[in-house]
């Protein structure tokens, strides 16, 4: 019987130590299938956060103040609706008849790994092959096409036209998958045909995802089957989903991490510009600025 204080303490002390050690022991780490999103496509580790969507064409001041200055991605729904380029560039026959002889840069392998084989084909040759082969076009827009591509009014004043860097075409039969990466330019990505899905992640989470971004500017993650065991920090990283449909454009602030998938016959255009000091005085009076103007003008 425990009939003395000493005997009671002798009994309780070991029990107390066992309980204390149990409380201090770290929780078991998740492995393999226990981690959400393990060996599943990028973005499966947690539900996405939404991206704002605009249904009107903003002025340059509105675009700069609300989106660019804030570093906030936004989908501009139907921005290209009603434009001739949306109607014409959806047709292979039109591209062949008007730009068939233009030389375009091509990459082999729709799943990007930054080691793809580059090639050069005429637009006509590409149109003969792209529905049957594992190739896609990623090419600087030739001058003849720039004369037709419409630059929206919010990029026509304030300094945007003076700071444009590149205009690129992305053209495939669908099914392309980019690596997770970022760009050092401001980016307006428009979809002429098909649909694109973007996984967007703020740059501040780059080290949490993995160390190679600092040296490479992209990640070596298999975007179809993410090994969460090798990247446990990714499970805590929030991400945003942007679905860009035919006629829509996505404003993507520079240095936001993104991974892109394309669906169906897919034709997209990137307009990149360097960050600059916006000059609102260039945008007055606003009624004199058209909704669109060819980028080649």
């Amino acid at each position: 019987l425990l009939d003395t204080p000493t005997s009671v303490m002798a009994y309780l002390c070991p029990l107390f130590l066992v309980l204390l050690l149990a409380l201090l022991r770290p929780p078991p780490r998740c492995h393999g299938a226990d981690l959400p999103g393990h060996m599943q496509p990028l973005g499966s580790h947690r539900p996405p956060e939404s991206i704002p969507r605009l249904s009107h064409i903003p002025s340059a001041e509105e675009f700069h103040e609300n989106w660019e200055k804030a570093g906030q991605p936004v989908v501009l729904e139907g921005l290209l609706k009603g434009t001739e380029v949306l109607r014409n560039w959806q047709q292979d026959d039109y591209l062949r008849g008007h730009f068939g002889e233009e030389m375009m840069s091509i990459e082999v392998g729709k799943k990007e790994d930054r080691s793809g084989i580059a090639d050069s084909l005429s637009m006509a040759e590409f149109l003969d092959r792209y529905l049957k082969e594992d190739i896609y076009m990623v090419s600087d827009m030739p001058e003849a096409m720039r004369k037709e591509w419409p630059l929206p009014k919010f990029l026509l004043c304030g300094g945007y036209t003076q700071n444009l860097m590149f205009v690129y075409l992305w053209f495939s039969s669908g099914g392309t998958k980019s690596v997770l990466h970022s760009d050092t330019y401001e980016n307006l990505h428009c979809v002429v045909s098909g649909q694109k899905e973007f996984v967007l992640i703020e740059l501040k989470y780059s080290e949490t995802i993995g160390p190679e971004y600092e040296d490479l500017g992209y990640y070596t993650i298999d975007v179809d089957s993410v090994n969460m065991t090798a990247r446990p920090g990714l499970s805590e990283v929030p991400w945003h989903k942007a679905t860009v449909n035919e006629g829509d454009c996505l404003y993507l602030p520079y240095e936001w991490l993104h991974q892109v998938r394309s669906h169906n016959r897919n034709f997209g255009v990137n307009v990149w510009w360097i960050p600059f000091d916006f000059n609102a005085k260039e945008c007055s009076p606003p009624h004199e600025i058209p909704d669109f103007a060819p980028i080649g003008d």
Side-chain angles (χ1 to χ4, degrees):
L1 294 176
L2 300 176
D3 53 0
T4 68
T6 302
S7 59
V8 171
M9 290 300 296
Y11 175 80
L12 292 178
C13 281
L15 181 61
F16 175 77
L17 288 174
V18 169
L19 292 172
L20 182 62
L21 289 173
L23 290 172
L24 293 176
R25 183 182 298 126
R29 293 185 63 184
C30 294
H31 295 283
D34 296 328
L35 287 165
H38 182 61
M39 307 311 291
Q40 296 177 43
L42 182 65
S44 301
H45 63 284
R46 61 184 290 168
E49 299 179 21
S50 61
I51 289 293
R53 303 181 75 89
L54 277 186
S55 57
H56 67 277
I57 304 177
S59 65
E61 293 92 335
E62 178 188 350
F63 174 76
H64 172 73
E65 194 67 26
N66 293 350
W67 311 109
E68 185 180 21
K69 187 177 177 181
Q72 171 63 60
V74 61
V75 175
L76 297 117
E77 292 184 326
L79 180 67
L80 299 179
K81 185 178 180 180
T83 61
E84 290 188 8
V85 76
L86 188 65
R87 179 173 61 254
N88 293 336
W89 290 14
Q90 291 179 351
Q91 304 174 44
D92 286 0
D93 288 344
Y94 182 91
L95 296 175
R96 188 188 304 274
H98 288 75
F99 313 116
E101 296 183 0
E102 298 289 344
M103 296 304 298
M104 317 300 290
S105 298
I106 310 298
E107 291 195 9
V108 179
K110 291 183 182 180
K111 185 175 181 180
E112 183 187 23
D113 62 7
R114 295 294 169 106
S115 63
I117 301 172
D119 199 355
S120 181
L121 296 174
S122 70
M123 176 68 83
E125 290 173 319
F126 176 80
L127 292 170
D128 289 337
R129 296 169 55 178
Y130 84 105
L131 293 175
K132 300 173 289 185
E133 300 182 30
D134 189 26
I135 60 175
Y136 68 100
M137 179 187 298
V138 50
S139 186
D140 187 35
M141 184 183 287
E143 189 60 35
M145 299 185 78
R146 288 178 182 240
K147 293 178 180 179
E148 296 189 12
W149 181 255
L151 202 62
K153 68 178 182 180
F154 56 85
L155 298 182
L156 292 176
C157 67
Y160 289 103
T161 55
Q162 298 94 315
N163 289 281
L164 293 180
M165 290 297 294
F166 305 105
V167 184
Y168 263 64
L169 304 176
W170 305 81
F171 188 11
S172 74
S173 61
T176 60
K177 304 166 187 176
S178 79
V179 296
L180 180 63
H181 66 288
S182 72
D183 300 318
T184 55
Y185 304 108
E186 302 281 6
N187 182 358
L188 186 71
H189 189 107
C190 298
V191 174
V192 173
S193 66
Q195 182 190 76
K196 286 190 174 178
E197 293 181 322
F198 287 74
V199 171
L200 305 176
I201 300 174
E202 292 183 75
L203 184 65
K204 66 183 180 181
Y205 296 107
S206 60
E207 291 186 8
T208 306
I209 299 171
E212 72 268 37
Y213 173 81
E214 185 174 349
D215 293 327
L216 300 176
Y218 65 92
Y219 291 93
T220 56
I221 295 171
D222 183 344
V223 298
D224 286 328
S225 182
V226 180
N227 185 344
M228 297 295 292
T229 303
R231 299 178 185 273
L234 180 58
S235 62
E236 302 300 322
V237 172
W239 68 283
H240 304 255
K241 180 179 181 179
T243 300
V244 187
N245 297 310
E246 187 176 286
D248 295 346
C249 296
L250 169 68
Y251 164 61
L252 182 57
Y254 82 105
E255 293 190 333
W256 268 66
L257 301 168
H258 54 285
Q259 190 269 326
V260 193
R261 295 174 184 267
S262 70
H263 305 285
N264 306 316
R265 179 202 186 266
N266 206 278
F267 197 114
V269 174
N270 266 125
V271 178
W272 277 302
W273 66 93
I274 58 175
F276 66 96
D277 292 328
F278 180 73
N279 182 3
K281 293 180 180 179
E282 282 193 8
C283 299
S284 295
H287 64 270
E288 294 184 0
I289 301 172
D291 284 347
F292 295 98
I295 199 169
D297 284 359

